Amino acid sequence: MEIYYGNIAYSKSKTELVCHKNSYIVVDNGKVISIFDKLPVEYQKYQIIDYKDSIIIPAFSDLHVHAPQYPNRGIAMDELLYDWLNKYTFPLESKYKDPIFAKEVYEKFIEDLLRHGTMHASIYATIHNEATDILINLLEEKGIRSFVGKVNMDKDSPDYLIEDTLESIKNTEIFIKKHQNNLYAKPIITPRFAPTCSFELLKKLGELGKKYNCGTQTHIVESLWEREEAKKCYPGCTSDMRIYERADLINKPFIAGHFIFPSEEDIEILKKYDGYAVQCPNATVNVIAGIMRTGYLLDNDINLSYGSDISAGEYLGIYRGISDSIRLSKIKSFYENDDRSITFKEAFYIATKKSGEIFGNVGSFEEGYEFDALVINNMSDSFIDLSIEEMLERFCYLGETKDITHRYLRGKEIII
Ligand code: GUN
Ligand code: FE
């Protein structure tokens, strides 16, 4: 049994941010038992870990991130998607045929993910099996709840980063079989996006998904170029989502990266299969150039989540995604007039409880949730008194990794 004292905050729903000032959170076997303002007698015999005026919050989840692109973050940010992929991203990804290079990067990537307070993630690797095995094994060893995909791409890709269709299927099946019984890091089927995948590939991946009960992640209507290119490649399909439905590749969880320019048909299909749309607020303004209708999708009960999308996005911290997402929703509603702006409560909920739900009971401190938690500086100064919610909001706008002072994964402190 462990007891932590401090200011405790977590989301219950998109309208409810629960804040307990100067309270105790009781954790047993890595799971939350309860939160008390006054510690009941039966718990008073246990040692209390005193975090004073710090804030204790659930760890973040990142539902769209490319681990191999980690070395490219913060460069080529003046390009748009097509050129950024061809000039910078594909050449870097081709280096992962070298497992030594892969191990070096993937170790650093995971360490930095944790440093930024993200403890659950849905991750793209590359087309290479050996490097992808290294990534998923590192995550499994560390007990990080995650989905990891060996990327598939069999057309319209450079010679140095393309697969033969049947080889791609064979290697995906080998990858899934090897890791399907993992406890924490699970395989997910990862066709890169419609423009680089043949229909035969998508159909066969759909069969693998059914056979191994494996979800799918991909990029969906992420830019106007991509949306039109997908329709050109698949003339019978009136929307990006329809391509995956025709291929019978919408297995659970279905994680749709970006989802910036969806038609009503895209929305209808995503909703029908209970899929997740991932806003990557950072990447959106760097190489993609479009803003998701977050308020509209929230109001239409679409599962919304956040991703860093390293390296189209430059910053790993999902807390910065929260502030960027709020800012973008204002621009969208004020200048384009087709959305409403979202609240801090909504954005914090999306980043923690909502994005966490695909990994199990993580992202909140309700009873039975895993104690995957961050202790953060309270961000106050002597000028005005801030409520816990305001301190948390300030952390999402001004906070840096140095403001995350402790990290817990299932009740065990992680030292970085
Ligand atoms: N579309 C296809 N591949 C990628 C990628 O690696 N990153 C982003 N942001 N979009 C993509
Ligand atoms: Fe991406």
Side-chain angles (χ1 to χ4, degrees):
M1 189 91 63
E2 293 85 36
I3 300 171
Y4 304 92
Y5 173 86
N7 295 311
I8 299 158
Y10 65 92
S11 291
K12 234 181 183 165
S13 70
K14 62 184 173 189
T15 52
E16 267 179 293
L17 177 71
V18 181
C19 296
H20 294 267
K21 201 168 169 55
N22 302 334
S23 294
Y24 302 85
I25 181 162
V26 177
V27 175
D28 193 25
N29 252 328
K31 293 198 172 134
V32 175
I33 302 286
S34 196
I35 296 172
F36 301 101
D37 296 345
K38 285 209 168 30
L39 198 62
V41 198
E42 71 257 39
Y43 294 117
Q44 288 181 0
K45 60 182 181 236
Y46 297 102
Q47 192 201 342
I48 294 165
I49 299 157
D50 184 358
Y51 284 124
K52 301 194 167 55
D53 60 359
S54 293
I55 312 174
I56 306 172
I57 58 168
F60 297 108
S61 297
D62 185 338
L63 262 61
H64 186 103
V65 57
H66 299 259
Q69 295 173 19
Y70 182 72
N72 265 358
R73 68 210 188 289
I75 61 169
M77 302 277 81
D78 51 356
E79 298 282 0
L80 282 177
L81 184 62
Y82 180 84
D83 288 325
W84 172 83
L85 282 172
N86 285 288
K87 288 201 250 172
Y88 294 89
T89 307
F90 293 159
L92 173 60
E93 287 197 14
S94 75
K95 288 185 170 214
Y96 290 79
K97 56 181 173 296
D98 173 4
I100 295 169
F101 179 73
K103 184 161 184 285
E104 272 176 31
V105 176
Y106 288 158
E107 279 175 348
K108 277 269 172 286
F109 164 77
I110 293 169
E111 185 188 305
D112 213 16
L113 195 70
L114 296 171
R115 182 178 296 114
H116 284 83
T118 297
M119 289 189 196
H120 329 102
S122 192
I123 308 173
Y124 289 59
T126 58
I127 60 173
H128 313 96
N129 274 55
E130 202 176 344
T132 310
D133 286 343
I134 289 169
L135 177 62
I136 198 169
N137 288 339
L138 285 168
L139 291 156
E140 178 70 7
E141 276 163 29
K142 290 189 184 303
I144 297 174
R145 294 201 184 279
S146 48
F147 291 105
V148 179
K150 181 213 114 43
V151 169
N152 304 96
M153 46 204 293
D154 71 336
K155 71 185 260 296
D156 291 331
S157 306
D159 295 346
Y160 57 81
L161 194 70
I162 191 166
E163 305 166 291
D164 165 76
T165 309
L166 294 181
E167 278 288 302
S168 179
I169 296 295
K170 193 180 93 192
N171 289 336
T172 304
E173 184 159 17
I174 290 171
F175 172 70
I176 296 173
K177 268 171 110 164
K178 203 182 263 184
H179 304 286
Q180 62 178 333
N181 294 324
N182 282 3
L183 280 179
Y184 304 108
K186 316 245 183 197
I188 187 164
I189 292 175
T190 307
R192 181 163 213 126
F193 66 155
T196 60
C197 297
S198 69
F199 192 63
E200 188 191 355
L201 175 66
L202 297 183
K203 274 228 62 90
K204 289 204 155 66
L205 289 175
E207 287 165 21
L208 287 184
K210 297 281 176 299
K211 185 168 168 189
Y212 294 101
N213 196 17
C214 204
T216 304
Q217 64 179 350
T218 189
H219 297 87
I220 299 283
V221 285
E222 61 173 314
S223 75
L224 293 174
W225 166 75
E226 185 273 332
R227 187 181 70 182
E228 295 316 306
E229 192 64 22
K231 281 195 223 162
K232 229 191 283 166
C233 298
Y234 291 91
C237 294
T238 41
S239 68
D240 227 354
M241 284 303 297
R242 186 68 80 204
I243 299 169
Y244 296 89
E245 189 181 48
R246 288 257 168 92
D248 208 3
L249 184 48
I250 310 188
N251 304 308
K252 281 193 174 179
F254 186 85
I255 307 176
H258 301 297
F259 211 67
I260 296 170
F261 299 102
S263 61
E264 284 306 315
E265 185 175 79
D266 285 306
I267 294 174
E268 200 179 290
I269 299 172
L270 190 74
K271 196 165 177 172
K272 177 171 158 197
Y273 294 94
D274 210 21
Y276 286 73
V278 193
Q279 190 191 29
C280 305
N282 220 237
T284 264
V285 285
N286 288 334
V287 302
I288 291 167
I291 303 176
M292 183 198 255
R293 293 167 78 187
T294 40
Y296 176 83
L297 293 176
L298 266 181
D299 295 342
N300 282 279
D301 292 323
I302 297 296
N303 298 314
L304 264 198
S305 55
Y306 289 139
S308 64
D309 197 18
I310 297 291
S311 64
E314 82 279 8
Y315 197 71
L316 261 178
I318 292 295
Y319 45 93
R320 195 74 83 249
I322 290 176
S323 46
D324 283 345
S325 176
I326 296 167
R327 234 190 305 268
L328 288 172
S329 75
K330 286 183 166 169
I331 295 175
K332 188 86 179 148
S333 60
F334 296 156
Y335 295 100
E336 294 184 17
N337 231 342
D338 61 352
D339 203 5
R340 68 163 175 89
S341 56
I342 62 168
T343 64
F344 174 71
K345 276 192 179 72
E346 287 172 329
F348 189 76
Y349 164 76
I350 292 170
T352 53
K353 187 170 181 187
K354 189 66 198 175
S355 294
E357 74 183 13
I358 67 160
F359 303 100
N361 278 348
V362 300
S364 183
F365 288 154
E366 287 156 274
E367 190 187 331
Y369 272 67
E370 295 186 350
F371 190 66
D372 294 351
L374 309 174
V375 180
I376 58 175
N377 284 331
N378 80 12
M379 311 298 289
S380 63
D381 47 42
S382 58
F383 307 126
I384 51 167
D385 285 336
L386 299 181
S387 66
I388 296 174
E389 181 173 343
E390 285 166 336
M391 293 179 207
L392 197 50
E393 185 179 2
R394 184 176 279 176
F395 167 72
C396 292
Y397 279 79
L398 302 181
E400 296 168 20
T401 52
K402 69 173 171 49
D403 294 309
I404 305 175
T405 56
H406 300 270
R407 299 157 180 83
Y408 287 89
L409 182 64
R410 284 186 299 287
K412 296 259 173 317
E413 183 162 9
I414 305 173
I415 307 295
I416 294 171

Coordinates of all heavy atoms in Angstrom, one line a residue, residues 14 30 79 86 118 121 128 134 151 154 209 230 238 240-241 249 255 276 286 290 346 351 353 362 399 415:
K14 N -15.9 14.6 -20.1 CA -15.4 15.8 -20.8 C -15.8 17.1 -20.1 O -15.3 18.1 -20.4 CB -15.7 15.8 -22.3 CG -17.2 15.7 -22.6 CD -17.4 15.6 -24.2 CE -18.8 15.4 -24.5 NZ -19.1 15.1 -25.9
G30 N -0.4 -1.2 -7.4 CA -0.3 -0.3 -8.7 C -1.7 0.2 -9.1 O -1.7 0.9 -10.1
E79 N 8.4 22.5 -44.9 CA 7.9 21.7 -46.1 C 6.4 21.3 -45.9 O 5.9 21.4 -44.8 CB 8.7 20.4 -46.2 CG 10.2 20.6 -46.5 CD 10.5 21.0 -47.9 OE1 9.6 21.1 -48.7 OE2 11.7 21.2 -48.2
N86 N 9.1 12.7 -48.9 CA 10.0 12.2 -49.9 C 11.5 12.7 -49.6 O 12.4 12.0 -49.9 CB 9.6 12.6 -51.3 CG 8.4 11.7 -51.7 OD1 8.6 10.5 -52.0 ND2 7.2 12.2 -51.7
T118 N 4.5 10.8 -21.0 CA 3.6 9.9 -21.8 C 3.9 8.5 -21.5 O 5.1 8.0 -21.6 CB 3.9 10.1 -23.3 OG1 3.5 11.5 -23.6 CG2 3.0 9.2 -24.2
A121 N 1.2 4.6 -25.6 CA 1.3 5.2 -27.0 C 1.0 4.1 -28.0 O 1.2 2.9 -27.9 CB 2.8 5.7 -27.1
H128 N 10.7 -2.5 -41.5 CA 11.7 -3.5 -41.2 C 11.3 -4.3 -40.0 O 11.2 -3.7 -38.9 CB 13.0 -2.8 -41.0 CG 13.4 -1.8 -42.1 ND1 13.1 -0.4 -41.9 CD2 13.9 -1.9 -43.3 CE1 13.5 0.2 -43.0 NE2 14.0 -0.7 -43.9
I134 N 12.8 -4.9 -32.2 CA 13.6 -4.2 -31.1 C 12.8 -3.2 -30.4 O 12.7 -3.1 -29.2 CB 14.9 -3.5 -31.8 CG1 15.9 -4.6 -32.2 CG2 15.5 -2.5 -30.8 CD1 17.0 -4.0 -33.1
V151 N 5.3 -1.0 -40.4 CA 4.6 -0.3 -41.4 C 4.5 -1.1 -42.7 O 5.4 -1.8 -43.0 CB 5.3 1.1 -41.6 CG1 4.8 1.8 -42.9 CG2 5.1 2.0 -40.4
D154 N 3.5 -0.7 -50.3 CA 3.9 -1.6 -51.4 C 3.8 -0.9 -52.8 O 3.9 -1.5 -53.8 CB 3.2 -2.9 -51.4 CG 1.7 -2.8 -51.8 OD1 1.1 -1.6 -51.6 OD2 1.1 -3.7 -52.2
G209 N -5.9 -9.2 -39.6 CA -6.5 -8.5 -38.5 C -7.6 -9.4 -37.9 O -7.7 -9.5 -36.7
A230 N -5.9 9.6 -52.5 CA -6.5 8.4 -52.0 C -7.7 8.0 -53.0 O -7.8 6.9 -53.4 CB -7.0 8.5 -50.6
T238 N -15.6 6.7 -52.3 CA -15.9 8.1 -52.3 C -15.3 8.8 -51.0 O -15.4 10.0 -50.8 CB -17.5 8.3 -52.2 OG1 -18.0 7.3 -51.3 CG2 -18.1 8.2 -53.5
D240 N -11.9 8.2 -47.8 CA -10.8 7.5 -47.3 C -11.2 6.3 -46.4 O -10.7 5.2 -46.6 CB -9.9 8.4 -46.4 CG -8.4 8.4 -46.7 OD1 -8.1 7.5 -47.5 OD2 -7.7 9.2 -46.1
M241 N -12.2 6.5 -45.5 CA -12.7 5.5 -44.6 C -13.3 4.3 -45.4 O -13.2 3.2 -45.0 CB -13.7 6.0 -43.6 CG -13.1 6.8 -42.5 SD -11.8 5.9 -41.5 CE -12.8 4.6 -40.8
L249 N -10.8 -3.9 -43.2 CA -9.6 -3.7 -42.4 C -9.9 -2.8 -41.2 O -9.0 -2.2 -40.6 CB -8.5 -3.1 -43.3 CG -7.1 -2.8 -42.7 CD1 -6.5 -4.0 -42.0 CD2 -6.1 -2.4 -43.8
I255 N -7.5 3.3 -35.3 CA -6.9 4.6 -34.9 C -6.6 5.4 -36.2 O -5.7 5.1 -37.0 CB -5.7 4.4 -34.1 CG1 -6.0 3.5 -32.9 CG2 -5.2 5.7 -33.6 CD1 -4.8 3.1 -32.0
Y276 N -11.1 5.7 -33.4 CA -10.6 6.9 -32.8 C -10.0 7.9 -33.8 O -9.2 7.5 -34.6 CB -9.5 6.5 -31.8 CG -10.1 5.9 -30.5 CD1 -10.6 4.6 -30.6 CD2 -10.2 6.6 -29.3 CE1 -11.2 4.1 -29.4 CE2 -10.8 6.1 -28.2 CZ -11.3 4.8 -28.3 OH -11.9 4.2 -27.2
N286 N 2.5 22.2 -38.9 CA 3.9 22.1 -39.5 C 3.9 21.6 -40.9 O 4.3 22.4 -41.8 CB 4.8 21.2 -38.7 CG 5.1 21.8 -37.3 OD1 5.2 23.0 -37.2 ND2 5.4 20.9 -36.4
G290 N -3.9 21.9 -42.0 CA -5.4 21.9 -41.9 C -5.7 21.7 -40.4 O -4.8 21.3 -39.6
E346 N -12.2 19.9 -21.6 CA -12.4 18.9 -22.7 C -11.0 18.4 -23.1 O -10.8 17.2 -23.3 CB -13.2 19.6 -23.8 CG -14.6 19.7 -23.5 CD -15.4 20.5 -24.6 OE1 -14.8 21.4 -25.2 OE2 -16.6 20.3 -24.7
A351 N -6.8 14.2 -23.6 CA -5.3 13.8 -23.5 C -5.1 12.7 -22.4 O -4.0 12.0 -22.5 CB -4.5 15.0 -23.1
K353 N -8.0 10.6 -20.0 CA -8.9 9.5 -19.9 C -9.3 9.0 -21.2 O -9.4 7.8 -21.4 CB -10.1 10.0 -19.0 CG -11.0 8.8 -18.7 CD -12.1 9.1 -17.8 CE -13.0 7.8 -17.5 NZ -14.1 8.1 -16.7
V362 N -6.5 3.2 -17.7 CA -5.4 4.2 -17.5 C -5.9 5.6 -17.9 O -6.8 5.7 -18.7 CB -4.1 3.9 -18.3 CG1 -3.6 2.5 -17.9 CG2 -4.3 4.0 -19.8
G399 N 4.5 24.7 -19.1 CA 5.3 23.7 -18.4 C 6.4 23.1 -19.4 O 6.3 23.1 -20.6
I415 N 12.7 6.1 -12.8 CA 13.8 7.1 -12.7 C 14.4 7.2 -14.1 O 14.8 6.2 -14.7 CB 14.9 6.6 -11.7 CG1 14.2 6.4 -10.3 CG2 16.0 7.7 -11.6 CD1 13.6 7.5 -9.6

